[in-house]
Amino acid sequence: MAAAVEEENFFSRLIFRDQRITVFQDPTKGRGYAAAEALEAGSTLIKERVFHKFTKSTLVPAPSHDEFVDSLCRRLEGEPPSVKSLVRELFPIFSYSGDQEATDPNIAPPRDSLSRVYQCNGFAFDAMGEGQHGGAIFLASSYLNHSCDPNCFFFIENDVLHVRSMRQIQTGEELSITYLGGPDMDLYRCTYERRRILDHHYLFTCLCHRRAQTSAARGYVLKPLCFYPSLCLDAVSYGRACDAAIDGILCPVNGCGSIMRWSQADEDSAIVWQCAKPSCDGKRDHDELLERMVALEQLYSQQLIDAEKYQEVDQSQLLGACQEMLAAAHGFLHPHHRFLVLTHAHLAQFEPKDREFSREHVLKHMEAVKHILGDPHPAVIDDYIFLAMLDGEFDGKKEQCLLNEARKRYEILFGLHGRPFDHHA
């Protein structure tokens, strides 16, 4: 008698799942994972083989959304009903009244539905070592929900997705990753902007509460200023959820160092900006503030354009845009504002021969990343390695200390399996 073939299910491709995590069902966000007991930082929680991927050589542009969906349609054509049902469950709210394709398990979900499946549950696949990039779907890992302050981190190695805890996770706490990212650092955006991106791309409204990190000594809340302050100020439908728009603008009083907070008595009243420090009477004019922010936004956009064409244009053009941003933002934007974080990242790369110049900007970038994105974080590891490279020529002992700091964080995020720590990589 032939051996029975195990039916494909959401967990059949799991290589490993920590027994200390459980699946829960929430009426608003669906399924998710939670810690049944406390988890230490650096725990491997999930290892799962890919369900479907579509990639191209990194020598050409990555596959488009439509190309991936076409490949998924072809993949499902010959699959049994159990597999089609699995994909259907990844986006169960697409059911159309009277549509047989949406309800019959023997028929693959319609293409529009598969497009939503990839849009909401796809993972970016960037196997640089293999020279491939594109997209992938992992079944069990699709249970991981989003947070703007995630406690887990994932990476893909040899078609296997690894999920690890970034910090200690308490009993009953939900496991989360971030769906945000990108070169313009979406996690640095304010609440309104992050919600807008998630609502547009992933079709849900984020209600997470990013941890407010405060510094009593310096007197500010470490949140970024919104990319579009006028939208934030008008976002009444969000119940003023975008209070992050007030953080990031510094008080004009010399030596104060605190942030500005805005208030408005009613919709017809003028917006008033005052220093958050009770003992300070610093104020900023609302119209002047918005005009200045628009100018900074234009500088930021130009910097992104110059950075994208970095190899094609005179490097001094990008250097000039960065220096202009620093001058325009001085005394106005908080040092951890995302405009400045990106600027420091660019400037650190400009003068590798000028060690002190590069070191200054790497340290400023690292400080902001630690406060806003958390530590450990891949960007923090990169900064420690870059600092080690800068200092190694002059101080071998200091170089080793910096590499040890990078290694500690690397082992929490990536572990020691399959990805040996190599600061030259």
Side-chain angles (χ1 to χ4, degrees):
M1 182 182 294
V5 177
E6 181 182 355
E7 187 176 82
E8 182 101 38
N9 59 61
F10 264 87
F11 302 105
S12 61
R13 291 175 180 265
L14 280 177
I15 299 172
F16 170 80
R17 189 179 94 184
D18 194 308
Q19 296 303 306
R20 297 173 294 173
I21 65 174
T22 58
V23 177
F24 69 85
Q25 182 78 28
D26 184 270
T28 55
K29 43 183 185 178
R31 294 164 297 212
Y33 289 110
E37 56 183 271
L39 304 170
E40 60 274 11
S43 299
T44 296
L45 304 177
I46 294 173
K47 292 165 70 174
E48 180 185 10
R49 289 187 296 272
V50 69
F51 170 76
H52 178 71
K53 73 171 184 177
F54 184 68
T55 62
K56 289 183 178 181
S57 167
T58 51
L59 299 177
V60 298
S64 67
H65 179 93
D66 286 340
E67 286 179 310
F68 184 93
V69 174
D70 288 341
S71 74
L72 184 56
C73 288
R74 292 192 296 270
R75 158 74 190 276
L76 292 177
E77 284 177 359
E79 294 288 358
S82 61
V83 175
K84 294 172 182 174
S85 294
L86 289 179
V87 178
R88 192 183 306 277
E89 287 184 49
L90 285 172
F91 195 73
I93 63 173
F94 62 62
S95 181
Y96 305 107
S97 176
D99 188 346
Q100 183 187 14
E101 286 186 326
T103 56
D104 190 338
N106 294 298
I107 301 177
R111 191 184 187 286
D112 286 350
S113 300
L114 293 179
S115 177
R116 295 299 192 190
V117 164
Y118 180 50
Q119 177 179 342
C120 298
N121 291 283
F123 287 81
F125 192 95
D126 191 6
M128 295 302 293
E130 302 169 18
Q132 298 289 313
H133 59 177
I137 288 178
F138 294 84
L139 297 177
S141 300
S142 68
Y143 285 9
L144 288 162
N145 289 316
H146 163 82
S147 173
C148 295
D149 181 28
N151 53 26
C152 293
F153 170 81
F154 73 89
F155 63 91
I156 300 171
E157 183 87 356
N158 297 323
D159 290 356
V160 174
L161 185 138
H162 302 251
V163 179
R164 294 173 63 84
S165 54
M166 296 173 63
R167 55 178 172 80
Q168 187 175 14
I169 301 175
Q170 304 302 318
T171 302
E173 185 179 350
E174 182 180 1
L175 308 187
S176 59
I177 57 176
T178 181
Y179 296 177
L180 297 171
D184 55 347
M185 300 176 291
D186 290 334
L187 273 174
Y188 286 78
R189 297 176 184 264
C190 73
T191 302
Y192 173 82
E193 275 292 287
R194 297 197 312 274
R195 285 182 174 178
R196 184 184 64 81
I197 293 169
L198 290 165
D199 184 69
H200 173 74
H201 189 86
Y202 294 101
L203 311 181
F204 72 90
T205 299
C206 177
L207 298 176
C208 77
H209 300 283
R210 182 148 69 182
R211 183 173 65 252
Q213 303 179 65
T214 61
S215 171
R218 299 177 71 177
Y220 54 78
V221 180
L222 297 177
K223 294 178 183 176
L225 181 69
C226 180
F227 193 48
Y228 300 104
S230 57
L231 284 178
C232 288
L233 300 177
D234 295 334
V236 180
S237 61
Y238 277 82
R240 291 188 183 275
C242 194
D243 282 347
I246 62 177
D247 299 320
I249 297 180
L250 296 176
C251 175
V253 175
N254 189 34
C256 175
S258 186
I259 58 166
M260 305 299 291
R261 295 195 180 280
W262 66 272
S263 60
Q264 188 177 24
D266 54 58
E267 292 184 11
D268 297 324
S269 301
I271 292 173
V272 178
W273 290 81
Q274 294 179 309
C275 180
K277 190 184 293 184
S279 59
C280 181
D281 60 357
K283 293 182 174 143
R284 285 192 184 275
D285 178 76
H286 176 64
D287 292 334
E288 182 181 327
L289 182 148
L290 288 185
E291 182 179 346
R292 195 163 176 180
M293 275 306 304
V294 168
L296 286 168
E297 180 184 328
Q298 291 173 345
L299 284 174
Y300 176 77
S301 299
Q302 185 59 49
Q303 192 179 142
L304 286 178
I305 293 172
D306 291 344
E308 189 174 339
K309 300 178 178 178
Y310 181 75
Q311 301 300 330
E312 304 172 12
V313 301
D314 183 358
Q315 295 181 6
S316 63
Q317 188 171 324
L318 178 56
L319 179 60
C322 291
Q323 292 174 331
E324 190 175 355
M325 170 64 78
L326 290 182
H330 180 70
F332 180 70
L333 291 186
H334 184 275
H336 295 163
H337 188 278
R338 72 189 187 97
F339 289 0
L340 296 179
V341 177
L342 180 74
T343 300
H344 290 308
H346 285 153
L347 287 173
Q349 307 293 327
F350 271 114
E351 300 290 344
K353 294 181 180 179
D354 187 341
R355 187 170 65 94
E356 288 306 316
F357 179 92
S358 293
R359 196 171 191 279
E360 174 190 354
H361 293 290
V362 176
L363 288 172
K364 288 180 178 179
H365 180 266
M366 182 193 293
E367 180 190 5
V369 170
K370 282 183 176 181
H371 280 98
I372 300 175
L373 300 185
D375 183 16
H377 189 275
V380 177
I381 296 174
D382 291 342
D383 284 344
Y384 272 115
I385 292 174
F386 194 72
L387 285 173
M389 180 191 74
L390 291 173
D391 292 338
E393 184 179 346
F394 304 92
D395 189 337
K397 186 175 180 180
K398 190 171 184 180
E399 176 190 25
Q400 194 56 50
C401 288
L402 291 166
L403 288 177
N404 287 340
E405 291 294 326
R407 181 189 294 274
K408 281 194 304 185
R409 290 159 174 82
Y410 185 92
E411 291 179 359
I412 290 175
L413 294 183
F414 297 103
L416 296 175
H417 54 280
R419 294 177 71 108
F421 178 71
D422 181 5
H423 65 278
H424 297 295

